Amino acid sequence: MSSQLIRAVLLALLAALLALPVGYFVAHWAGWAVFCCGLGLQLAFHFRNFARLERWSRSPVVDSSLEGEGAWDGVFGRLYRHEKDLRTKLAQRDHEISMLIAAGQALTDGVVLLDANNLILFCNTTAEMQLGLVIRTDRGQPVVNLVRQPEFVNYLGSNDFSRPLTLRTERSEDRVLSIFVIPYAGDRRLMQIKDVTQTDLLDRMRRDFVANVSHELRTPLTVLAGFLETLQEIEVDRDEQARYLGMMIDQSRRMESIVQDLLTLSSIESAPPPESEIVDMANIVDKLRRDAEALSAGRHSIVIETDGQGDLRGSEPELVSAFGNLVANAVRYTPTGGTVRISWRANTQSAEFAVQDTGIGIDAKHIPRLTERFYRVDRGRSRDAGGTGLGLAIVKHSLNRHQAQLDIKSTPGVGSRFAARFPASRVVGV
């Protein structure tokens, strides 16, 4: 028997013991009245605590309001501890849920949770940006009503998620997404969205590179093969033979130049960070002037502009190769009688090496792609000038390794200006 029941029985017996003498010596009704008063006091005591419990149950809080007397104190104490433990567990659960949501928001991949009817339950901010969703208003909406591209709708409706869907978004055709759908928790689905724009771009560049290399090498190889077959099958006089051999030598040198530039570009891309040796810019500018004059053979005016101060910190062979390509391009694409201006200026904030010409110029639409491998504004003119199509790609990679930026300004028929700008960390001696 519990202690509370024993206590109630003892209080009832005490009331009976008080009621017996009153009923015997005074009157029966008086004894019963005393006994009923004793029981009534117990009921009033329990009712008072019960009323307190009933009020608390309507708005349970963990504070001192949950207190009682006697047996009720133990009941209230246990309720207090249970409520406190429950609130602690709920707070811990809410914290874990918030941490889980924060982790989902921190993912660089988009995440969308869907129910069995493809209604949106949750999505992170990355998915909002990728698909144009707004979770505040789109929660509970069918995802196919918001992303309406036919390939996406068909993919989600096919229920065949063995392979991801590659999707070019309507919001930006340049953005490519890879969408994985993973069933979970029975009939729900987790949609993982990866931005593979860069990977797709690199893949297209790789395909273009292979196609361009094949095209660039095919032309001289075709010429060589044709002349060899001609010399093998047909008797030609010595003058004609010498002319054929001269053309074959030119094509061989062209292939050699392409291969050499490819090897140079490959070595730059795979090389460790450039050394921090001090590069004497006055000596390099003078060397570039002599090279330009030799390549020009007197057909152009070569002008040097320099303040005579400041050197660079980096790899001299890479910088010479980059600057030399800019100077050679300026000479090649400037008509006879034009001017090629080589300038070098440095101060405590930055430095700039620039080559300006009065050549044929470049249309603005071509400028963003000039540093791509084998990209040419005019293929025929570039081949006639002796270019391989890799010079500016070499320039770009060499400058990037020195934290420098290549700025290109050009006007068709007026000329071009190529400027390599270096940060203060690469400038010494100013």
Side-chain angles (χ1 to χ4, degrees), residues 188-255:
R188 295 194 174 191
R189 296 170 176 177
L190 183 151
M191 195 163 68
Q192 181 184 13
I193 309 163
K194 291 181 176 291
D195 191 329
V196 295
T197 304
Q198 190 64 24
T199 303
D200 181 75
L201 176 62
L202 291 174
D203 189 53
R204 283 191 286 117
M205 288 177 63
R206 178 187 58 80
R207 292 195 301 268
D208 291 345
F209 175 72
V210 172
N212 286 330
V213 169
S214 301
H215 178 78
E216 293 294 332
L217 293 177
R218 184 185 299 116
T219 301
L221 284 173
T222 301
V223 173
L224 285 172
F227 283 143
L228 287 172
E229 290 177 1
T230 299
L231 293 175
Q232 186 179 30
E233 297 174 0
I234 302 173
E235 289 292 336
V236 295
D237 57 42
R238 295 187 62 84
D239 292 340
E240 193 71 9
Q241 185 180 24
R243 189 173 71 86
Y244 287 171
L245 291 175
M247 292 181 180
M248 292 168 67
I249 290 173
D250 290 341
Q251 296 301 325
S252 298
R253 286 174 178 168
R254 173 169 174 72
M255 283 195 296

